[in-house]
Amino acid sequence: HWRFWPVFILAFFYPMNNGMINLVVPIYYLQEGLYEGAIGVLSAGTTLAYTFSPILLNKFSQKIKRKTSIIISLTGVFLSELVFYFTLNPILFIISRTVEGIFMGLYWPNLQSSISDNIFHEHRKLTAKYNISWNLGILGGFLLGALLLFVFELLEIIFYIAPILLLINLIIAIGAFQEPKKINIHSKEFQEYIKKKKLNLIKAVKIKEEKEDFTKMSFPLIFPVLLVIGYCLPRASINFLYPIKSELLNFEPYTVYIAIFFLALSQMISMIFASLMKLRRFNRIPPIMVGILVLIFPIIGINQEFLAFIILFLIIGSCTGILYGVSLRLFLILNMKENKSKYSAILESILGVVFLITPIVSGVIAAINLNSTFYILTSILVILFFALLILSFKKVNFEVSEKENID
C-alpha cells in the first residue's frame, strides 16, 4: 500500500514558504526605494529559471527515482534560501531565487507524477487531496505571515522563518516519501493482475473501462494550456500588484496577507469542487469562470476599500480554483494515457512562464499607472474567454460513460 501522506506534507510546506515570501517582496523592496519594474523582476524570482527547468530536467528526472529527484530539489532550494540570513541585497536575492527555480524543476513534476505513476491509485481522490494540501499550505503561509508581521512589525522576519519550512520538507522527503511503483495499462503487472487475481476481476474491469474512457475523450493540448494561463494571470498579477496598492493606500503590511488569505481560501474550496467535477462539464464551466474574471478585474483597479478587496478576492479565488483544478486533471489524464510525466513538466513550465512575465510587465506598467495594469490584464482575459469558448464548442469532447469511472 502506497503512502500518500508524505506527498500531502511535501505539497503543504513548500507553498507555505513561497506564499510568505512572494507577498513580502513587493512591500519590502518598495520601502527600500526600488523602482516598480525592478521589483517586478525580483518578484518573478524563481520563475526566471522555473520557466525552463521542468522541461530541461525532465529527461534527467526520468532516469532517477521520484524520491531522489525530490530530495535533490529540496536540498538545492534550502541552500539557496540560506542567503536570506546574511543579506537581502537585490542582486544576491535574484541570484538566490533563480537557483531555487532551477531546483524546483525537479520538485513539482515528480510530486504530481507520483500520483499518476500507478493505475491502481485512486487518482481523482488523490488529486483532490493534493490540491487541498498545497492550497492549505498557501493559506497557512498567509496566516503565519500576517501573525509574524502583526507581532514583530519587521518585514525581514518573513525571510528568516520561511527557510525553516523547507528544512522540515527535506526531512520528510528523506525519511517518509515512498517511491511509487509504476504500473499502467500496458505493464506486465496489470496484465498478470487480470489473469491471476480473479477475486478482483470487478476492479480490473473497472480499470479497463477507465482505459476505454480515456480513448473516447478528445481535447487539444491548447485547451488545458489556456486554462492554466487563465489561472496564472489573475494570481500572479494580484500577488504582485495588491501589496504595492495596499502600500500606496497606507494599509498595514499584515493586512495584505489577510486579504490574499481569503482569495486562497475560496480557491481551495473551488479546486476541491473541480477535482470531483464530472468530466462532461469540463468544456462549459471554465469559460464561464474566465468571463466572471473579466467583469471583476477592472473593479480592483478603482477600488480603495479593504473589505471590498476581500469580497473581490473571494470571487476571483473561486474562479481560479476551478481553472487550475480542471487543468491539473486534464494534464494528469494525458500523463496516464501516454505513460509519461512530460505533461506535468509542461504544466509547471507554463506556470513558470506566466508567473515570470506577469510581474515583470506589470511592474513596468505600474510605474506609469498602477490601475491601468488591471485594465490591460482585463483585455487579455477577454481574448482568453473567446478562445476558450470557441475551443469548448468546436474542439473539446468530454462525453464519456455515464458512470465516469475516471479517477
Side-chain angles (χ1 to χ4, degrees):
H1 180 69
W2 183 61
R3 293 193 302 267
F4 176 75
W5 69 264
V7 175
F8 190 94
I9 299 294
L10 292 172
F12 174 84
F13 278 112
Y14 202 158
M16 190 175 185
N17 162 282
N18 212 34
M20 291 173 64
I21 294 175
N22 284 346
L23 289 189
V24 78
V25 167
I27 304 174
Y28 177 79
Y29 287 103
L30 188 66
Q31 290 186 3
E32 291 292 303
L34 260 68
Y35 163 68
E36 284 88 343
I39 297 175
V41 175
L42 293 176
S43 296
T46 55
T47 56
L48 288 169
Y50 191 58
T51 298
F52 310 103
S53 61
I55 292 178
L56 293 178
L57 295 175
N58 183 53
K59 289 186 177 180
F60 170 74
S61 180
Q62 294 299 319
K63 295 179 181 179
I64 60 178
K65 294 180 178 180
R66 303 284 185 209
K67 182 171 184 174
T68 304
S69 294
I70 291 171
I71 291 174
I72 291 174
S73 175
L74 286 172
T75 301
V77 171
F78 175 67
L79 292 176
S80 70
E81 288 196 8
L82 288 181
V83 175
F84 300 164
Y85 291 104
F86 303 99
T87 180
L88 290 173
N89 175 275
I91 295 176
L92 294 178
F93 181 82
I94 195 65
I95 293 174
S96 169
R97 297 294 274 172
T98 301
V99 171
E100 179 175 341
I102 294 173
F103 282 102
M104 276 178 63
L106 289 173
Y107 190 75
W108 292 111
N110 280 284
L111 205 61
Q112 291 173 9
S113 296
S114 67
I115 297 173
S116 59
D117 276 341
N118 192 319
I119 196 170
F120 293 109
H121 291 170
E122 296 180 279
H123 301 112
R124 185 161 58 185
K125 292 180 180 178
L126 293 183
T127 301
K129 291 178 181 179
Y130 173 82
N131 286 336
I132 292 172
S133 176
W134 69 262
N135 276 283
L136 283 176
I138 293 175
L139 290 173
F142 293 158
L143 286 179
L144 181 58
L147 179 62
L148 290 172
L149 293 182
F150 180 77
V151 174
F152 295 101
E153 297 183 351
L154 179 69
L155 293 176
E156 289 88 342
I157 193 69
I158 299 294
F159 297 102
Y160 302 151
I161 297 298
I164 298 174
L165 303 174
L166 294 177
L167 180 60
I168 297 172
N169 246 13
L170 180 58
I171 294 171
I172 294 294
I174 294 172
F177 182 83
Q178 182 181 4
E179 187 72 17
K181 187 172 183 179
K182 296 184 179 180
I183 300 177
N184 60 75
I185 54 180
H186 305 293
S187 65
K188 181 180 178 182
E189 289 89 345
F190 180 69
Q191 299 302 323
E192 291 177 349
Y193 177 86
I194 294 177
K195 293 178 181 179
K196 298 180 180 180
K197 302 287 184 178
K198 294 182 179 180
L199 293 176
N200 295 319
L201 185 59
I202 294 177
K203 186 173 183 180
V205 171
K206 176 182 177 182
I207 297 171
K208 184 175 182 298
E209 290 174 351
E210 182 176 302
K211 172 192 173 184
E212 292 171 350
D213 279 345
F214 282 163
T215 61
K216 291 176 183 177
M217 287 189 303
S218 173
F219 60 93
L221 179 60
I222 188 64
F223 186 71
V225 167
L226 292 179
L227 296 185
V228 174
I229 294 174
Y231 157 77
C232 291
L233 274 177
R235 286 309 315 269
S237 59
I238 289 175
N239 284 354
F240 172 68
L241 294 172
Y242 178 70
I244 294 177
K245 182 156 187 171
S246 70
E247 186 71 11
L248 297 176
L249 292 174
N250 294 319
F251 294 164
E252 291 292 333
Y254 73 89
T255 64
V256 173
Y257 285 92
I258 293 175
I260 304 296
F261 169 86
F262 286 100
L263 189 156
L265 178 63
S266 62
Q267 178 177 284
M268 182 188 71
I269 295 171
S270 64
M271 200 168 290
I272 295 171
F273 174 74
S275 299
L276 303 174
M277 188 191 303
K278 292 183 180 298
L279 290 170
R280 63 173 176 267
R281 296 175 181 169
F282 276 22
N283 60 339
R284 298 290 184 263
I285 293 182
I288 296 174
M289 297 298 102
V290 176
I292 294 173
L293 290 173
V294 168
L295 299 175
I296 294 297
F297 237 66
I299 303 175
I300 300 177
I302 60 177
N303 180 58
Q304 296 185 1
E305 298 297 327
F306 180 71
L307 290 179
F309 278 121
I310 291 179
I311 296 172
L312 293 171
F313 289 166
L314 284 170
I315 298 172
I316 290 173
S318 299
C319 296
T320 56
I322 293 290
L323 293 172
Y324 182 81
V326 170
S327 65
L328 177 60
R329 283 184 65 186
L330 293 180
F331 277 111
L332 290 179
I333 285 172
L334 290 174
N335 276 352
M336 289 184 279
K337 287 179 71 174
E338 299 189 19
N339 190 30
K340 296 178 181 179
S341 61
K342 71 175 184 179
Y343 291 104
S344 289
I346 291 173
L347 168 61
E348 294 304 315
S349 288
I350 295 169
L351 290 170
V353 168
V354 183
F355 273 93
L356 166 66
I357 295 174
T358 303
I360 294 176
V361 175
S362 297
V364 173
I365 300 173
I368 302 172
N369 187 290
L370 178 63
N371 291 338
S372 64
T373 312
F374 293 102
Y375 308 142
I376 293 173
L377 288 168
T378 301
S379 64
I380 297 174
L381 289 171
V382 169
I383 297 172
L384 187 64
F385 169 74
F386 284 109
L388 286 172
L389 206 59
I390 293 171
L391 283 173
S392 66
F393 283 100
K394 299 290 186 179
K395 299 290 184 179
V396 176
N397 179 24
F398 292 117
E399 295 299 327
V400 297
S401 64
E402 294 181 1
K403 293 184 178 180
E404 297 209 25
N405 288 321
I406 295 173
D407 292 324

